[in-house]
Amino acid sequence: MVRFLLNGSPVSFEGVDPHVTLLSWLRSHGLTGSKEGCAEGECGACAVAVLRADEHGVPRYDSINSCLVPLPSVSGRAIVTVEGVADADGSLHPVQTAMVVHAGSQCGYCTPGFVVSLFCEYYRPGRAGYDPESISGNLCRCTGYRPIIDVARALPLPASSDKRLPQLREPVPPLAALDYVADSELGPRSFVRPTNLAALFARWLAVPHAVLIAGGTDLMVYANQRYQRWQDLLSLEAVVELRQWARTDGALIIGAGVELASVEHRLMHDHAGEVPMLEQLLPLFSSRLIRNRATLGGSLATASPIGDAAPVLLALDASLTLVSPRGERRVLLSDFFTGYRQTVLGPQELILSVHIPLPKTKRPPFSRFYKVSKRVLDDISTVAGAFVVELDGAAKVERLRIAYGGVAATPVRALAAEQLAVGLPWSRETVSTLLSSLETLGTPQSDHRGHASYRRAMIGKLLEKFYVDSTSVLAPAPVRAGATP
């Protein structure tokens, strides 16, 4: 049986197919404020708030797309829908009042999602100003963003008498193990959520065909839009070993099950400037609504050729620790992808952690991530490029790393160009030489996001852009008059 808190009241159910999303269940139970606009996590009309602890154990509300949450996943959670935002006596919440005062609603379809996301922003720990990312995953079809942003900027701090503050001071219990089975027209279907690797592998060995699900931001799109169904789902979200975070002298180690929003927050507050390209990536990685569920391990394990994380981690020389009942092994990310949506993962094997080498010098190498897409934010890449260059004292290339997504069946490293650059001056002439070696990189294809010729052109243009951007940072210091160069 699944039990959770819904707008402050305990709820339990059984016998519901695990593929039913939280959104569908809410609407079937009369909570129709949450809307389905896209069923793939792009519009935010279905946003609900979930109470959970951040990476430091501080309770907070996070907005998530209920259209991508399998219902059993909310077991043990506390969920707030738009119907639960107002006080029990019916008086409006300050977020709702601000939406009225600043005319933040037009057609109203997106309004519930915006209200929930702003509700989470209202209670954000340490809030001292408006965070634009708080509504980055909410789409307003009437283009009414200005008054909604006015709402966000006008939000007061919670009053000391706010009835939700006591809940935000209480520790959030960790997710408990769950073994849920429900009958369907095609037979019983299960959703199992172990809390450690031993229990995970015990279940996986017993049910070898079980499908792993982490944040579900990719898998549940297939369930919603292609009507795919799996007899057994094996959830990774409570496995403690997948949530590690460590910094050694030489590397940053991120557990495969850590949500991207948590990675983003830790980088900003605990490791600012240590991995700048990862900091550049995350605000462009879909939206906060998605990042509150999606994981770094899940992004890599799907092996999508247009996933944004892979090019960045390839350019950073990242490696992975893989784990199975047979033990652990370490592989370079450059050796991980073997074909379209294929990896070196063996039977009952998954990603345990991602290892990102840290610079050995005080001055970090110059790095940039570029994303070519139809929208600046919350979009899928047409082409993505990640670049890192290290120069010696004579402004010659000691090391260059170039990686792309969207130009081949897998994310790719431009190894030939990287090797060609070593020892050459970092100049336009060198870049022109490298462009020639990139002419045969990848196998770009045409689709609704971009023509093959456009993708081919972007391979070189992004490298040229990287060079131009680097010159303002890596230009040699001017020599003073009379000084010896």
Side-chain angles (χ1 to χ4, degrees), residues 330-414:
R330 188 85 162 266
V331 300
L332 291 173
L333 183 60
S334 55
D335 297 328
F336 182 69
F337 305 107
T338 59
Y340 179 71
R341 295 278 189 173
Q342 296 177 338
T343 70
V344 299
L345 288 171
Q348 283 75 53
E349 188 171 43
L350 70 154
I351 302 172
L352 177 66
S353 56
V354 180
H355 299 245
I356 303 172
L358 295 175
K360 297 179 180 179
T361 59
K362 291 184 179 180
R363 183 187 183 188
F366 183 78
S367 60
R368 283 293 184 270
F369 169 71
Y370 303 112
K371 177 169 179 167
V372 180
S373 55
K374 293 183 180 296
R375 297 195 304 264
V376 175
L377 298 173
D378 195 15
D379 201 3
I380 296 173
S381 292
T382 303
V383 176
F387 307 85
V388 181
V389 66
E390 299 177 56
L391 305 182
D392 62 17
K396 293 184 177 180
V397 177
E398 281 192 343
R399 198 166 184 214
L400 177 66
R401 281 160 282 172
I402 304 172
Y404 295 98
V407 300
T410 68
V412 292
R413 277 273 293 270

Side-chain angles (χ1 to χ4, degrees), residues 40 65 86 167 177 181 205-206 228 239 252 266 349 389 400 450 484:
E40 62 181 11
N65 293 296
Q167 185 182 33
V181 180
L205 289 169
Q228 286 190 223
V239 177
L252 185 64
R266 279 185 180 268
E349 188 171 43
V389 66
L400 177 66
T484 303

Side-chain angles (χ1 to χ4, degrees), residues 163-390:
K163 296 178 181 178
R164 296 188 187 272
L165 292 183
Q167 185 182 33
L168 290 169
R169 298 189 186 105
E170 294 293 325
V172 178
L175 292 177
L178 176 68
D179 192 341
Y180 177 80
V181 180
D183 289 327
S184 72
E185 295 179 356
L186 301 177
R189 288 183 173 142
S190 71
F191 183 98
V192 176
R193 186 176 68 192
T195 57
N196 55 61
L197 283 176
L200 168 69
F201 289 132
R203 174 67 180 181
W204 207 358
L205 289 169
V207 188
H209 62 265
V211 174
L212 300 183
I213 179 170
T217 55
D218 187 67
L219 197 69
M220 292 305 293
V221 174
Y222 288 89
N224 289 341
Q225 299 194 350
R226 298 186 183 180
Y227 303 101
Q228 286 190 223
R229 295 295 183 264
W230 304 276
Q231 184 176 347
D232 298 279
L233 289 171
L234 189 51
S235 172
L236 304 178
E237 61 184 329
V239 177
V240 65
E241 293 93 337
L242 299 180
R243 305 190 65 80
Q244 62 178 303
W245 184 283
R247 186 196 185 284
T248 67
D249 290 339
L252 185 64
I253 303 171
I254 304 174
V258 178
E259 293 86 3
L260 293 175
S262 182
V263 175
E264 181 181 24
H265 192 263
R266 279 185 180 268
L267 287 174
M268 289 174 56
H269 296 279
D270 300 338
H271 305 275
E274 291 190 349
V275 193
M277 192 158 54
L278 204 53
E279 294 180 28
Q280 297 163 28
L281 160 72
L282 289 169
L284 299 176
F285 194 115
S286 192
S287 68
R288 184 71 60 77
L289 279 161
I290 291 291
R291 298 196 298 273
N292 281 335
R293 288 279 297 174
T295 65
L296 200 55
S299 176
L300 297 175
T302 59
S304 170
I306 54 173
D308 289 337
V312 168
L313 294 172
L314 282 170
L316 290 173
D317 273 341
S319 60
L320 308 176
T321 295
L322 310 182
V323 63
S324 72
R326 302 172 293 281
E328 296 182 8
R329 63 177 175 135
R330 188 85 162 266
V331 300
L332 291 173
L333 183 60
S334 55
D335 297 328
F336 182 69
F337 305 107
T338 59
Y340 179 71
R341 295 278 189 173
Q342 296 177 338
T343 70
V344 299
L345 288 171
Q348 283 75 53
E349 188 171 43
L350 70 154
I351 302 172
L352 177 66
S353 56
V354 180
H355 299 245
I356 303 172
L358 295 175
K360 297 179 180 179
T361 59
K362 291 184 179 180
R363 183 187 183 188
F366 183 78
S367 60
R368 283 293 184 270
F369 169 71
Y370 303 112
K371 177 169 179 167
V372 180
S373 55
K374 293 183 180 296
R375 297 195 304 264
V376 175
L377 298 173
D378 195 15
D379 201 3
I380 296 173
S381 292
T382 303
V383 176
F387 307 85
V388 181
V389 66
E390 299 177 56

Side-chain angles (χ1 to χ4, degrees), residues 1-150:
M1 181 175 291
V2 171
R3 296 181 174 87
F4 67 104
L5 284 178
L6 178 60
N7 296 329
S9 300
V11 174
S12 62
F13 65 85
E14 55 187 354
V16 180
D17 191 314
H19 296 88
V20 172
T21 64
L22 174 59
L23 173 63
S24 296
W25 187 88
L26 290 171
R27 293 184 60 81
S28 68
H29 284 71
L31 298 177
T32 55
S34 303
K35 304 293 193 292
E36 181 175 280
C38 65
E40 62 181 11
E42 284 202 40
C43 74
C46 67
V48 300
V50 57
L51 179 66
R52 58 188 184 186
D54 69 10
E55 58 276 5
H56 299 299
V58 178
R60 61 181 293 152
Y61 287 113
D62 285 327
S63 54
I64 59 174
N65 293 296
S66 61
C67 72
L68 299 180
V69 178
L71 190 57
S73 181
V74 302
S75 183
R77 303 278 196 185
I79 302 293
V80 179
T81 69
V82 68
E83 291 87 355
V85 169
D87 291 339
D89 62 5
S91 57
L92 294 182
H93 188 276
V95 167
Q96 296 169 309
T97 299
M99 287 289 280
V100 174
V101 170
H102 294 278
S105 178
Q106 292 190 47
C107 79
Y109 194 89
C110 69
T111 301
F114 272 102
V115 166
V116 169
S117 289
L118 289 170
F119 169 85
C120 296
E121 169 70 356
Y122 181 79
Y123 291 107
R124 175 167 56 88
R127 177 170 65 89
Y130 158 56
D131 176 12
E133 283 291 297
S134 63
I135 55 172
S136 65
N138 296 91
L139 175 65
C140 174
R141 293 163 178 81
C142 302
T143 64
Y145 293 104
R146 186 203 49 79
I148 296 172
I149 292 172
D150 289 343

